[in-house]
Coordinates of all heavy atoms in Angstrom, one line a residue:
L1 N 0.8 -1.2 0.0 CA 0.0 0.0 0.0 C 0.9 1.3 0.0 O 0.5 2.3 -0.5 CB -0.9 0.0 1.2 CG -2.0 1.1 1.3 CD1 -2.9 1.0 0.1 CD2 -2.8 1.0 2.6
G2 N 2.1 1.2 0.6 CA 3.0 2.3 0.6 C 3.5 2.7 -0.7 O 3.7 3.9 -1.0
L3 N 3.8 1.8 -1.6 CA 4.4 2.1 -2.9 C 3.5 3.0 -3.8 O 4.0 4.0 -4.3 CB 4.8 0.8 -3.6 CG 6.0 0.0 -3.0 CD1 6.1 -1.3 -3.8 CD2 7.2 0.8 -3.1
P4 N 2.2 2.6 -3.9 CA 1.4 3.5 -4.7 C 1.2 4.9 -4.1 O 1.1 5.9 -4.8 CB 0.1 2.7 -4.8 CG 0.3 1.3 -4.4 CD 1.5 1.4 -3.6
L5 N 1.1 4.9 -2.8 CA 0.9 6.2 -2.2 C 2.0 7.1 -2.3 O 1.9 8.3 -2.6 CB 0.5 6.0 -0.7 CG -0.8 5.4 -0.4 CD1 -1.0 5.1 1.1 CD2 -2.0 6.2 -0.9
V6 N 3.2 6.6 -2.1 CA 4.4 7.5 -2.2 C 4.7 7.8 -3.6 O 5.2 8.9 -3.9 CB 5.6 6.8 -1.5 CG1 6.2 5.7 -2.3 CG2 6.7 7.8 -1.2
T7 N 4.4 6.9 -4.6 CA 4.6 7.3 -6.0 C 3.6 8.3 -6.4 O 3.9 9.3 -7.2 CB 4.4 6.0 -6.8 OG1 5.4 5.0 -6.4 CG2 4.6 6.3 -8.3
L8 N 2.4 8.2 -6.0 CA 1.4 9.3 -6.3 C 1.8 10.6 -5.7 O 1.7 11.7 -6.3 CB 0.0 8.9 -5.7 CG -1.2 9.8 -6.0 CD1 -1.4 10.0 -7.5 CD2 -2.4 9.4 -5.3
A9 N 2.3 10.6 -4.4 CA 2.8 11.8 -3.8 C 4.0 12.4 -4.6 O 4.1 13.6 -4.7 CB 3.1 11.6 -2.4
H10 N 4.8 11.6 -5.1 CA 6.0 12.0 -5.9 C 5.5 12.6 -7.2 O 6.0 13.7 -7.7 CB 6.9 10.9 -6.1 CG 8.1 11.2 -7.0 ND1 9.0 12.1 -6.6 CD2 8.4 10.8 -8.3 CE1 9.9 12.2 -7.6 NE2 9.6 11.5 -8.6
Q11 N 4.5 12.0 -7.9 CA 4.0 12.5 -9.1 C 3.3 13.8 -9.0 O 3.3 14.7 -9.8 CB 3.1 11.5 -9.8 CG 3.8 10.3 -10.3 CD 2.8 9.2 -10.8 OE1 1.6 9.2 -10.6 NE2 3.4 8.3 -11.6
Q12 N 2.7 14.0 -7.8 CA 2.0 15.3 -7.5 C 2.9 16.4 -7.0 O 2.5 17.5 -6.9 CB 0.9 15.1 -6.5 CG -0.2 14.1 -7.0 CD -1.0 14.6 -8.2 OE1 -1.2 15.8 -8.3 NE2 -1.3 13.7 -9.1
G13 N 4.2 16.0 -6.7 CA 5.1 17.0 -6.3 C 5.2 17.2 -4.8 O 5.9 18.1 -4.3
Y14 N 4.6 16.4 -4.0 CA 4.6 16.5 -2.6 C 5.9 15.8 -2.0 O 6.3 16.2 -0.9 CB 3.4 15.8 -1.9 CG 2.1 16.5 -2.3 CD1 1.1 15.8 -3.0 CD2 1.8 17.8 -2.0 CE1 -0.1 16.4 -3.3 CE2 0.7 18.4 -2.3 CZ -0.3 17.7 -3.0 OH -1.5 18.3 -3.3
V15 N 6.5 14.9 -2.7 CA 7.7 14.2 -2.2 C 8.7 14.4 -3.2 O 8.5 14.2 -4.4 CB 7.3 12.7 -2.0 CG1 8.6 11.9 -1.6 CG2 6.2 12.5 -1.0
G16 N 10.0 14.7 -2.8 CA 11.1 14.9 -3.7 C 11.6 13.5 -4.1 O 11.2 12.5 -3.7
G17 N 12.6 13.6 -5.0 CA 13.2 12.4 -5.6 C 13.9 11.5 -4.6 O 13.8 10.3 -4.5
F18 N 14.7 12.2 -3.7 CA 15.5 11.4 -2.7 C 14.5 10.7 -1.7 O 14.7 9.5 -1.4 CB 16.4 12.3 -1.9 CG 17.2 11.6 -0.8 CD1 18.2 10.8 -1.2 CD2 16.8 11.8 0.5 CE1 18.9 10.1 -0.2 CE2 17.5 11.2 1.5 CZ 18.6 10.3 1.2
E19 N 13.5 11.5 -1.2 CA 12.6 10.9 -0.3 C 11.8 9.7 -0.9 O 11.5 8.7 -0.3 CB 11.6 11.9 0.2 CG 12.2 13.0 1.1 CD 12.9 14.1 0.3 OE1 12.7 14.2 -0.9 OE2 13.5 14.9 1.0
W20 N 11.5 9.9 -2.2 CA 10.7 8.8 -2.9 C 11.6 7.6 -3.0 O 11.1 6.5 -2.8 CB 10.4 9.3 -4.3 CG 9.6 8.3 -5.2 CD1 8.4 7.9 -4.9 CD2 10.1 7.7 -6.3 NE1 8.0 7.0 -5.9 CE2 9.1 6.8 -6.8 CE3 11.3 7.8 -7.0 CZ2 9.2 6.1 -7.9 CZ3 11.4 7.0 -8.2 CH2 10.4 6.1 -8.6
I21 N 12.9 7.7 -3.4 CA 13.7 6.5 -3.4 C 13.9 5.8 -2.1 O 13.8 4.6 -2.0 CB 15.1 6.9 -4.0 CG1 15.0 7.3 -5.4 CG2 16.1 5.8 -3.8 CD1 14.7 6.2 -6.4
V22 N 14.0 6.6 -1.0 CA 14.1 6.1 0.3 C 12.9 5.3 0.7 O 12.9 4.2 1.2 CB 14.5 7.1 1.4 CG1 14.4 6.6 2.8 CG2 15.9 7.7 1.1
C23 N 11.7 5.9 0.4 CA 10.4 5.2 0.7 C 10.2 4.0 -0.1 O 9.8 3.0 0.4 CB 9.3 6.2 0.5 SG 9.2 7.5 1.7
I24 N 10.6 4.0 -1.4 CA 10.5 2.8 -2.2 C 11.4 1.7 -1.6 O 11.0 0.5 -1.5 CB 10.9 3.1 -3.7 CG1 9.9 4.1 -4.3 CG2 11.1 1.9 -4.5 CD1 8.5 3.5 -4.5
G25 N 12.6 2.0 -1.2 CA 13.5 1.1 -0.6 C 13.0 0.5 0.7 O 13.1 -0.7 0.9
A26 N 12.4 1.3 1.5 CA 11.9 0.9 2.8 C 10.7 0.0 2.6 O 10.6 -1.1 3.2 CB 11.5 2.1 3.7
C27 N 9.8 0.3 1.6 CA 8.6 -0.5 1.4 C 9.0 -1.9 0.8 O 8.5 -2.9 1.1 CB 7.7 0.2 0.4 SG 6.9 1.6 1.2
T28 N 10.0 -1.8 -0.1 CA 10.5 -3.1 -0.7 C 11.2 -3.9 0.3 O 10.9 -5.2 0.3 CB 11.5 -2.8 -1.9 OG1 10.8 -1.9 -2.8 CG2 11.9 -4.0 -2.6
F29 N 11.9 -3.4 1.2 CA 12.6 -4.1 2.3 C 11.6 -4.8 3.2 O 11.7 -6.0 3.5 CB 13.5 -3.2 3.1 CG 14.1 -3.9 4.3 CD1 15.2 -4.7 4.1 CD2 13.5 -3.7 5.5 CE1 15.7 -5.4 5.2 CE2 14.1 -4.3 6.6 CZ 15.2 -5.2 6.5
L30 N 10.5 -4.0 3.5 CA 9.5 -4.6 4.4 C 8.8 -5.7 3.7 O 8.5 -6.8 4.4 CB 8.6 -3.5 4.9 CG 9.1 -2.5 5.9 CD1 8.1 -1.4 6.1 CD2 9.5 -3.2 7.2
A31 N 8.4 -5.6 2.5 CA 7.7 -6.6 1.8 C 8.6 -7.8 1.6 O 8.2 -9.0 1.7 CB 7.2 -6.1 0.4
Y32 N 9.9 -7.6 1.3 CA 10.8 -8.7 0.9 C 11.2 -9.5 2.1 O 11.2 -10.7 2.2 CB 12.0 -8.1 0.1 CG 13.0 -9.1 -0.3 CD1 12.8 -10.0 -1.3 CD2 14.2 -9.1 0.4 CE1 13.8 -10.9 -1.7 CE2 15.2 -10.0 0.0 CZ 15.0 -10.9 -1.0 OH 15.9 -11.8 -1.4
V33 N 11.8 -8.8 3.1 CA 12.4 -9.5 4.3 C 11.4 -9.9 5.3 O 11.2 -11.0 5.7 CB 13.5 -8.6 4.9 CG1 14.0 -9.2 6.1 CG2 14.6 -8.4 3.9
V34 N 10.6 -8.9 5.8 CA 9.7 -9.2 6.9 C 8.6 -10.1 6.5 O 8.4 -11.2 7.2 CB 9.2 -7.9 7.5 CG1 8.2 -8.1 8.6 CG2 10.3 -7.0 8.0
L35 N 7.9 -9.8 5.5 CA 6.8 -10.7 5.1 C 7.2 -12.0 4.5 O 6.6 -13.0 4.8 CB 5.9 -9.9 4.1 CG 5.2 -8.7 4.6 CD1 4.4 -8.0 3.5 CD2 4.3 -9.0 5.8
G36 N 8.3 -12.0 3.8 CA 8.9 -13.2 3.2 C 9.3 -14.2 4.3 O 9.0 -15.4 4.3
T37 N 10.0 -13.7 5.4 CA 10.4 -14.5 6.5 C 9.2 -15.1 7.2 O 9.3 -16.2 7.6 CB 11.4 -13.7 7.4 OG1 12.4 -13.2 6.6 CG2 11.9 -14.6 8.5
M38 N 8.2 -14.3 7.5 CA 7.0 -14.8 8.2 C 6.3 -15.9 7.3 O 5.9 -16.9 7.9 CB 6.1 -13.7 8.5 CG 6.6 -12.8 9.6 SD 5.4 -11.6 10.3 CE 4.7 -10.8 8.8
L39 N 6.3 -15.7 6.0 CA 5.6 -16.7 5.2 C 6.4 -18.0 5.2 O 5.9 -19.1 5.4 CB 5.6 -16.2 3.7 CG 5.1 -17.2 2.7 CD1 3.7 -17.5 2.9 CD2 5.4 -16.7 1.3
F40 N 7.8 -17.9 5.1 CA 8.6 -19.1 5.2 C 8.5 -19.8 6.5 O 8.4 -21.0 6.6 CB 10.0 -18.8 4.9 CG 10.3 -18.3 3.5 CD1 11.2 -17.3 3.2 CD2 9.5 -18.8 2.4 CE1 11.5 -16.9 1.9 CE2 9.7 -18.3 1.1 CZ 10.7 -17.4 0.9
D41 N 8.4 -19.0 7.6 CA 8.3 -19.6 8.9 C 6.9 -20.3 9.1 O 6.9 -21.4 9.6 CB 8.3 -18.4 10.0 CG 8.3 -19.0 11.4 OD1 9.1 -19.9 11.7 OD2 7.4 -18.5 12.2
R42 N 5.9 -19.8 8.5 CA 4.6 -20.5 8.6 C 4.6 -21.7 7.7 O 4.0 -22.7 8.0 CB 3.4 -19.6 8.1 CG 3.2 -18.4 9.1 CD 2.7 -18.8 10.5 NE 3.8 -19.1 11.4 CZ 3.7 -20.0 12.4 NH1 2.7 -20.7 12.6 NH2 4.8 -20.2 13.2
L43 N 5.3 -21.7 6.6 CA 5.4 -22.9 5.7 C 6.1 -24.0 6.4 O 5.8 -25.2 6.3 CB 6.1 -22.5 4.4 CG 5.2 -21.7 3.4 CD1 6.1 -21.3 2.2 CD2 4.0 -22.5 2.9
I44 N 7.2 -23.6 7.1 CA 8.0 -24.6 7.8 C 7.1 -25.2 9.0 O 7.2 -26.4 9.2 CB 9.3 -24.0 8.4 CG1 10.2 -23.7 7.2 CG2 10.0 -24.9 9.4 CD1 11.4 -22.9 7.6
A45 N 6.4 -24.4 9.7 CA 5.5 -24.8 10.7 C 4.4 -25.8 10.2 O 4.0 -26.7 10.9 CB 4.9 -23.7 11.5
A46 N 4.0 -25.5 9.0 CA 2.9 -26.4 8.4 C 3.4 -27.8 8.1 O 2.6 -28.7 8.2 CB 2.4 -25.7 7.1
V47 N 4.7 -27.9 7.7 CA 5.2 -29.2 7.4 C 5.8 -29.9 8.6 O 6.3 -31.1 8.5 CB 6.2 -29.2 6.2 CG1 5.5 -28.7 5.0 CG2 7.4 -28.3 6.6
R48 N 5.9 -29.2 9.7 CA 6.4 -29.7 11.0 C 7.8 -30.3 10.9 O 8.1 -31.4 11.3 CB 5.5 -30.7 11.6 CG 4.1 -30.2 11.9 CD 3.3 -31.2 12.6 NE 1.9 -30.9 12.6 CZ 1.3 -30.0 13.4 NH1 2.0 -29.2 14.1 NH2 0.0 -29.8 13.3
E49 N 8.7 -29.5 10.3 CA 10.1 -29.9 10.1 C 11.0 -29.0 10.9 O 10.7 -27.8 11.2 CB 10.6 -29.9 8.7 CG 10.0 -30.9 7.8 CD 10.5 -32.3 8.1 OE1 11.7 -32.4 8.5 OE2 9.8 -33.3 8.0
D50 N 12.2 -29.5 11.4 CA 13.1 -28.7 12.1 C 14.1 -28.1 11.1 O 15.0 -28.7 10.7 CB 13.9 -29.5 13.1 CG 13.0 -30.0 14.3 OD1 12.0 -29.3 14.6 OD2 13.3 -31.1 14.9
M51 N 13.9 -26.8 10.8 CA 14.7 -26.1 9.9 C 14.5 -24.6 10.1 O 13.7 -24.2 10.9 CB 14.5 -26.5 8.4 CG 13.1 -26.2 7.9 SD 12.9 -26.6 6.2 CE 12.3 -28.3 6.3
T52 N 15.4 -23.8 9.4 CA 15.3 -22.4 9.6 C 14.8 -21.8 8.2 O 14.8 -22.5 7.2 CB 16.6 -21.7 10.0 OG1 17.5 -22.0 8.9 CG2 17.1 -22.3 11.3
T53 N 14.5 -20.5 8.3 CA 14.1 -19.8 7.0 C 15.3 -19.4 6.2 O 15.1 -18.9 5.1 CB 13.3 -18.6 7.4 OG1 14.1 -17.7 8.1 CG2 12.0 -18.9 8.1
S54 N 16.5 -19.6 6.6 CA 17.7 -19.2 5.9 C 17.8 -19.8 4.5 O 18.1 -19.2 3.5 CB 19.0 -19.5 6.7 OG 19.0 -18.9 7.9
L55 N 17.5 -21.1 4.4 CA 17.5 -21.8 3.1 C 16.5 -21.2 2.1 O 16.8 -21.0 1.0 CB 17.3 -23.3 3.3 CG 17.2 -24.1 2.0 CD1 18.6 -24.1 1.3 CD2 16.8 -25.5 2.3
F56 N 15.3 -21.0 2.6 CA 14.3 -20.4 1.7 C 14.6 -19.0 1.3 O 14.4 -18.6 0.1 CB 12.9 -20.4 2.4 CG 12.4 -21.8 2.6 CD1 12.2 -22.3 3.8 CD2 12.1 -22.6 1.5 CE1 11.7 -23.6 4.0 CE2 11.6 -23.9 1.6 CZ 11.4 -24.4 2.9
S57 N 15.2 -18.2 2.2 CA 15.6 -16.8 1.9 C 16.7 -16.9 0.8 O 16.7 -16.1 -0.1 CB 16.1 -16.1 3.1 OG 15.0 -15.9 4.0
L58 N 17.7 -17.8 1.0 CA 18.8 -17.9 0.0 C 18.2 -18.4 -1.3 O 18.7 -17.8 -2.4 CB 19.8 -18.9 0.6 CG 21.0 -19.2 -0.3 CD1 21.8 -17.9 -0.4 CD2 21.8 -20.3 0.2
M59 N 17.3 -19.3 -1.4 CA 16.7 -19.7 -2.6 C 16.0 -18.6 -3.3 O 16.0 -18.4 -4.5 CB 15.8 -20.9 -2.4 CG 16.5 -22.2 -2.1 SD 15.5 -23.6 -1.5 CE 14.0 -23.4 -2.4
M60 N 15.3 -17.7 -2.5 CA 14.5 -16.6 -3.1 C 15.5 -15.6 -3.6 O 15.3 -15.1 -4.7 CB 13.7 -16.0 -2.0 CG 12.8 -14.9 -2.5 SD 11.5 -14.3 -1.4 CE 12.5 -13.7 0.0
D61 N 16.6 -15.3 -2.9 CA 17.6 -14.4 -3.4 C 18.3 -14.9 -4.7 O 18.5 -14.2 -5.6 CB 18.7 -14.2 -2.4 CG 18.3 -13.4 -1.2 OD1 17.3 -12.7 -1.3 OD2 19.0 -13.4 -0.1
T62 N 18.5 -16.2 -4.8 CA 19.1 -16.8 -6.0 C 18.2 -16.6 -7.2 O 18.6 -16.3 -8.3 CB 19.4 -18.3 -5.7 OG1 20.3 -18.4 -4.6 CG2 20.1 -18.9 -6.9
C63 N 16.9 -16.9 -6.9 CA 15.9 -16.7 -8.0 C 15.9 -15.3 -8.5 O 15.8 -15.1 -9.7 CB 14.6 -17.2 -7.6 SG 14.4 -19.0 -7.4
V64 N 15.9 -14.4 -7.6 CA 15.9 -12.9 -8.0 C 17.1 -12.6 -8.8 O 17.0 -11.9 -9.8 CB 15.7 -12.1 -6.7 CG1 16.0 -10.6 -7.1 CG2 14.3 -12.2 -6.1
L65 N 18.3 -13.0 -8.3 CA 19.5 -12.7 -9.0 C 19.6 -13.3 -10.4 O 20.1 -12.7 -11.4 CB 20.8 -13.0 -8.2 CG 21.0 -12.1 -7.0 CD1 22.1 -12.7 -6.2 CD2 21.3 -10.7 -7.4
V66 N 19.2 -14.6 -10.5 CA 19.1 -15.2 -11.8 C 18.2 -14.5 -12.8 O 18.4 -14.3 -14.0 CB 18.8 -16.7 -11.7 CG1 18.4 -17.3 -13.0 CG2 19.9 -17.5 -11.0
G67 N 17.0 -14.1 -12.2 CA 16.0 -13.4 -13.1 C 16.6 -12.0 -13.5 O 16.4 -11.7 -14.7
I68 N 17.2 -11.3 -12.7 CA 17.8 -10.0 -13.0 C 18.9 -10.2 -14.1 O 19.0 -9.5 -15.1 CB 18.4 -9.3 -11.8 CG1 17.3 -8.8 -10.9 CG2 19.3 -8.1 -12.2 CD1 17.7 -8.2 -9.6
T69 N 19.7 -11.2 -13.9 CA 20.8 -11.5 -14.9 C 20.2 -11.9 -16.2 O 20.7 -11.4 -17.3 CB 21.7 -12.6 -14.4 OG1 22.2 -12.2 -13.1 CG2 22.9 -12.8 -15.3
C70 N 19.2 -12.7 -16.3 CA 18.5 -13.0 -17.5 C 17.9 -11.8 -18.2 O 18.1 -11.7 -19.4 CB 17.4 -14.1 -17.3 SG 18.1 -15.7 -16.9
L71 N 17.3 -10.9 -17.4 CA 16.8 -9.7 -18.0 C 17.9 -8.8 -18.6 O 17.7 -8.2 -19.7 CB 15.9 -8.9 -17.0 CG 14.6 -9.5 -16.7 CD1 13.9 -8.8 -15.5 CD2 13.7 -9.6 -17.9
L72 N 19.0 -8.7 -17.8 CA 20.1 -7.9 -18.3 C 20.7 -8.5 -19.6 O 21.0 -7.8 -20.6 CB 21.2 -7.8 -17.3 CG 20.9 -6.8 -16.1 CD1 22.0 -6.9 -15.1 CD2 20.8 -5.4 -16.6
C73 N 20.8 -9.8 -19.7 CA 21.3 -10.5 -20.9 C 20.4 -10.2 -22.1 O 20.8 -9.9 -23.2 CB 21.5 -12.0 -20.6 SG 22.9 -12.4 -19.6
Y74 N 19.1 -10.4 -21.8 CA 18.2 -10.1 -22.9 C 18.2 -8.7 -23.4 O 18.3 -8.4 -24.6 CB 16.7 -10.5 -22.4 CG 15.7 -10.1 -23.5 CD1 15.5 -11.0 -24.5 CD2 14.9 -9.0 -23.4 CE1 14.6 -10.7 -25.5 CE2 14.0 -8.7 -24.3 CZ 13.8 -9.6 -25.4 OH 12.8 -9.3 -26.3
K75 N 18.2 -7.7 -22.4 CA 18.2 -6.3 -22.8 C 19.5 -5.9 -23.5 O 19.5 -5.2 -24.5 CB 18.1 -5.5 -21.5 CG 18.1 -4.0 -21.8 CD 18.0 -3.2 -20.5 CE 18.3 -1.8 -20.7 NZ 19.7 -1.5 -21.0
D76 N 20.7 -6.4 -23.0 CA 21.9 -6.0 -23.6 C 22.4 -6.7 -24.8 O 23.1 -6.2 -25.6 CB 23.0 -6.1 -22.5 CG 22.9 -5.0 -21.5 OD1 22.2 -4.0 -21.7 OD2 23.4 -5.1 -20.4
F77 N 22.0 -8.0 -25.0 CA 22.5 -8.8 -26.1 C 21.4 -9.0 -27.2 O 21.7 -9.1 -28.3 CB 23.0 -10.1 -25.6 CG 24.3 -9.9 -24.8 CD1 24.3 -10.4 -23.5 CD2 25.4 -9.3 -25.3 CE1 25.4 -10.2 -22.7 CE2 26.5 -9.2 -24.5 CZ 26.5 -9.6 -23.2
V78 N 20.1 -9.1 -26.8 CA 19.1 -9.4 -27.8 C 18.5 -8.1 -28.3 O 18.3 -8.0 -29.5 CB 18.0 -10.2 -27.2 CG1 16.9 -10.5 -28.1 CG2 18.6 -11.6 -26.7
Q79 N 18.3 -7.1 -27.5 CA 17.6 -5.9 -27.9 C 18.6 -4.8 -28.5 O 18.1 -3.8 -29.0 CB 16.9 -5.2 -26.8 CG 15.6 -5.9 -26.4 CD 14.8 -5.2 -25.4 OE1 15.3 -4.3 -24.7 NE2 13.6 -5.5 -25.2
T80 N 19.9 -5.1 -28.5 CA 20.8 -4.1 -29.1 C 20.7 -4.2 -30.6 O 20.8 -5.2 -31.2 CB 22.3 -4.4 -28.7 OG1 22.4 -5.6 -28.1 CG2 22.8 -3.3 -27.8
S81 N 20.6 -3.1 -31.2 CA 20.5 -3.1 -32.7 C 21.4 -2.1 -33.4 O 21.5 -2.0 -34.6 CB 19.0 -2.7 -33.1 OG 18.7 -1.4 -32.7
N82 N 22.2 -1.3 -32.6 CA 23.1 -0.3 -33.2 C 24.5 -0.9 -33.6 O 25.2 -0.2 -34.3 CB 23.2 0.9 -32.3 CG 23.8 0.5 -31.0 OD1 24.1 -0.6 -30.7 ND2 23.9 1.5 -30.1
G83 N 24.8 -2.1 -33.2 CA 26.1 -2.7 -33.6 C 27.3 -2.4 -32.9 O 28.4 -2.9 -33.3
D84 N 27.3 -1.5 -31.9 CA 28.6 -1.2 -31.2 C 28.8 -2.1 -30.1 O 27.9 -2.9 -29.7 CB 28.6 0.3 -30.8 CG 27.5 0.6 -29.7 OD1 26.7 -0.3 -29.5 OD2 27.6 1.7 -29.2
A85 N 30.0 -2.1 -29.5 CA 30.4 -3.0 -28.4 C 30.2 -2.4 -27.0 O 30.6 -3.0 -26.1 CB 31.8 -3.5 -28.6
S86 N 29.6 -1.3 -26.9 CA 29.5 -0.6 -25.6 C 28.5 -1.4 -24.7 O 28.6 -1.3 -23.5 CB 29.0 0.8 -25.7 OG 27.7 0.9 -26.3
H87 N 27.7 -2.2 -25.3 CA 26.7 -2.9 -24.5 C 27.4 -4.0 -23.6 O 26.9 -4.4 -22.6 CB 25.6 -3.5 -25.3 CG 26.1 -4.5 -26.3 ND1 26.7 -4.2 -27.5 CD2 26.1 -5.9 -26.3 CE1 27.0 -5.2 -28.2 NE2 26.7 -6.3 -27.5
I88 N 28.5 -4.5 -24.1 CA 29.3 -5.5 -23.3 C 29.8 -4.9 -22.1 O 29.7 -5.5 -21.0 CB 30.4 -6.2 -24.2 CG1 29.7 -6.9 -25.4 CG2 31.2 -7.1 -23.4 CD1 30.7 -7.4 -26.4
Y89 N 30.4 -3.7 -22.2 CA 30.9 -3.0 -21.0 C 29.8 -2.7 -20.0 O 29.9 -2.9 -18.8 CB 31.7 -1.8 -21.4 CG 32.2 -1.0 -20.2 CD1 33.2 -1.4 -19.5 CD2 31.5 0.2 -19.8 CE1 33.7 -0.7 -18.4 CE2 32.0 0.9 -18.7 CZ 33.1 0.5 -18.0 OH 33.5 1.2 -16.9
S90 N 28.7 -2.3 -20.6 CA 27.5 -1.9 -19.7 C 27.0 -3.2 -19.0 O 26.6 -3.1 -17.9 CB 26.4 -1.3 -20.6 OG 25.2 -1.2 -19.9
F91 N 26.9 -4.3 -19.7 CA 26.5 -5.6 -19.1 C 27.4 -6.0 -18.0 O 27.0 -6.4 -16.9 CB 26.4 -6.7 -20.2 CG 26.1 -8.0 -19.6 CD1 24.9 -8.3 -19.1 CD2 27.1 -9.0 -19.5 CE1 24.6 -9.6 -18.6 CE2 26.9 -10.2 -18.9 CZ 25.6 -10.5 -18.5
F92 N 28.7 -5.8 -18.2 CA 29.7 -6.2 -17.2 C 29.5 -5.4 -16.0 O 29.5 -5.9 -14.8 CB 31.1 -6.1 -17.7 CG 32.2 -6.4 -16.7 CD1 32.4 -7.7 -16.3 CD2 32.9 -5.4 -16.2 CE1 33.3 -8.0 -15.4 CE2 33.9 -5.7 -15.2 CZ 34.1 -7.0 -14.8
C93 N 29.4 -4.1 -16.1 CA 29.2 -3.2 -15.0 C 27.9 -3.5 -14.2 O 27.9 -3.5 -13.0 CB 29.2 -1.7 -15.4 SG 30.8 -1.1 -16.0
K94 N 26.8 -3.7 -14.9 CA 25.6 -4.0 -14.3 C 25.6 -5.4 -13.6 O 25.1 -5.5 -12.5 CB 24.4 -4.0 -15.3 CG 24.1 -2.7 -15.8 CD 23.0 -2.8 -16.9 CE 22.8 -1.5 -17.6 NZ 21.9 -1.7 -18.7
S95 N 26.3 -6.3 -14.2 CA 26.4 -7.7 -13.5 C 27.2 -7.6 -12.3 O 26.9 -8.2 -11.2 CB 27.1 -8.7 -14.5 OG 26.2 -8.8 -15.6
C96 N 28.3 -6.8 -12.3 CA 29.1 -6.7 -11.1 C 28.4 -5.9 -10.0 O 28.5 -6.3 -8.8 CB 30.4 -5.9 -11.4 SG 31.6 -6.9 -12.4
W97 N 27.6 -4.9 -10.4 CA 26.8 -4.2 -9.4 C 25.8 -5.1 -8.8 O 25.6 -5.1 -7.6 CB 26.1 -3.0 -10.1 CG 25.3 -2.2 -9.2 CD1 24.0 -2.2 -9.1 CD2 25.8 -1.3 -8.2 NE1 23.5 -1.3 -8.1 CE2 24.6 -0.8 -7.5 CE3 27.0 -0.8 -7.8 CZ2 24.7 0.2 -6.5 CZ3 27.1 0.1 -6.8 CH2 25.9 0.6 -6.1
N98 N 25.0 -5.9 -9.6 CA 24.0 -6.7 -9.0 C 24.6 -7.9 -8.2 O 24.0 -8.4 -7.3 CB 23.1 -7.3 -10.1 CG 22.2 -6.3 -10.7 OD1 21.8 -5.4 -10.0 ND2 21.9 -6.4 -12.0
G99 N 25.8 -8.3 -8.6 CA 26.5 -9.4 -7.8 C 27.1 -8.9 -6.5 O 27.5 -9.8 -5.8
G100 N 27.2 -7.7 -6.3 CA 27.7 -7.1 -5.1 C 29.2 -6.9 -5.1 O 29.8 -6.8 -4.0
F101 N 29.8 -6.9 -6.3 CA 31.3 -6.6 -6.3 C 31.6 -5.2 -6.3 O 30.9 -4.4 -6.8 CB 31.9 -7.2 -7.6 CG 31.8 -8.7 -7.6 CD1 31.0 -9.4 -8.5 CD2 32.5 -9.5 -6.7 CE1 31.0 -10.7 -8.6 CE2 32.4 -10.9 -6.7 CZ 31.7 -11.5 -7.7

């Protein structure tokens, strides 16, 4: 609910760019970490196994990173039509940034 509200406030000029980015990051963090961990905890409780949510969080992170990498590959290698090689450098920079290097 926070993402549409803060985006609407940004579009109307009530919230600046920096505040909008911070609010987007906070809303995404809350949805991703807090709600994801509670969901995984309830799934583990439903199957009555002794384990932690760390494995599920790691699997979710892996799926996100693979998805981002696939989208970057598609965008940089399939959608390029101008014929120059600058997209390879751009792909390398984005991959290193997403990989945490």
Side-chain angles (χ1 to χ4, degrees):
L1 186 62
L3 291 174
L5 292 177
V6 75
T7 300
L8 181 64
H10 177 66
Q11 288 176 344
Q12 298 298 321
Y14 297 118
V15 176
F18 178 75
E19 293 84 5
W20 180 67
I21 291 293
V22 169
C23 289
I24 293 294
C27 291
T28 304
F29 174 79
L30 289 174
Y32 178 73
V33 174
V34 177
L35 296 176
T37 305
M38 288 190 312
L39 172 70
F40 295 147
D41 184 52
R42 294 294 89 210
L43 287 172
I44 291 170
V47 296
R48 300 187 194 285
E49 289 290 327
D50 292 332
M51 61 177 90
T52 64
T53 61
S54 300
L55 175 65
F56 291 116
S57 296
L58 181 65
M59 289 171 33
M60 185 169 63
D61 288 343
T62 303
C63 289
V64 167
L65 288 174
V66 167
I68 288 172
T69 304
C70 289
L71 287 174
L72 285 174
C73 286
Y74 176 76
K75 179 185 171 287
D76 287 340
F77 294 120
V78 175
Q79 285 187 343
T80 13
S81 60
N82 57 3
D84 63 352
S86 65
H87 63 281
I88 296 174
Y89 177 74
S90 172
F91 172 75
F92 178 72
C93 291
K94 291 175 188 175
S95 297
C96 288
W97 179 257
N98 286 329
F101 294 114

